[in-house]
Amino acid sequence: MKSIKNLLLLRATVALFAMVLLAFSVQTVSAQDLTISSDADWNTFASNVNGGNSYSGKTVKLTADINVTTMVGTESTKFKGTFDGAGHKINVNLTASEDRCAPFRYVEGATISLLTVTGTVSTGTYKFGAGLIAECRFNKQVQIYIIFS
């Protein structure tokens, strides 16, 4: 009897967890938010952030598995928005040409969720290589939820 109650409790917990994940991934994308569905879209996103758009207060949603060869963020413009991987995968292929090499090179106060990361980051003689974030500023909290690699 006790094991049946524990099993029911476990099933209820798993169901609740699944509903929470679904709630995180089902977000309305407004006209000011961004949807990434291709490698080219990622490159545009990276260019926008690296060029001065931090996406603060905005949601960037991944709608397909993509390959990533361009880093997001600079020391002067960090990614500050919400990145919703929506259960999709980024396959990373980065080679460092300076310190701090990762798909999200610089972030500050960002949220990154529901993302699978595969691939390689080659740093050579450079330092601070990572599979997801190379540098996040300690004065702002960065939230990362359910990341698989």
Side-chain angles (χ1 to χ4, degrees), residues 2-142:
K2 195 175 203 178
S3 64
I4 292 173
K5 284 183 181 179
N6 287 341
L7 183 60
L8 290 174
L9 180 61
L10 178 63
R11 285 184 179 178
T13 303
V14 169
L16 179 61
F17 183 68
M19 288 188 311
V20 168
L21 286 179
L22 185 59
F24 272 113
S25 67
V26 177
Q27 297 179 7
T28 304
V29 178
S30 74
Q32 296 180 2
D33 293 337
L34 178 67
T35 300
I36 296 177
S37 60
S38 68
D39 302 358
D41 289 346
W42 174 274
N43 292 338
T44 298
F45 164 59
S47 179
N48 289 344
V49 174
N50 299 346
N53 181 356
S54 70
Y55 286 87
S56 180
K58 307 272 189 301
T59 297
V60 177
K61 186 168 186 172
L62 189 61
T63 61
D65 296 348
I66 62 168
N67 296 303
V68 171
T69 57
T70 307
M71 294 183 285
V72 172
T74 65
E75 192 167 3
S76 60
T77 306
K78 295 152 196 70
F79 176 67
K80 298 180 181 182
T82 296
F83 187 89
D84 178 4
H88 292 285
K89 174 176 71 175
I90 60 171
N91 182 46
V92 178
N93 184 11
L94 294 170
T95 301
S97 59
E98 58 187 309
D99 289 345
R100 294 170 188 83
C101 184
F104 289 91
R105 188 169 183 221
Y106 288 92
V107 299
E108 182 178 307
T111 299
I112 301 172
S113 64
L114 301 172
L115 181 64
T116 299
V117 181
T118 62
T120 60
V121 175
S122 302
T123 58
T125 59
Y126 299 102
K127 51 188 173 176
F128 310 120
L132 185 63
I133 298 172
E135 181 175 312
C136 57
R137 293 300 171 154
F138 60 88
N139 61 339
K140 299 287 183 179
Q141 182 177 5
V142 174

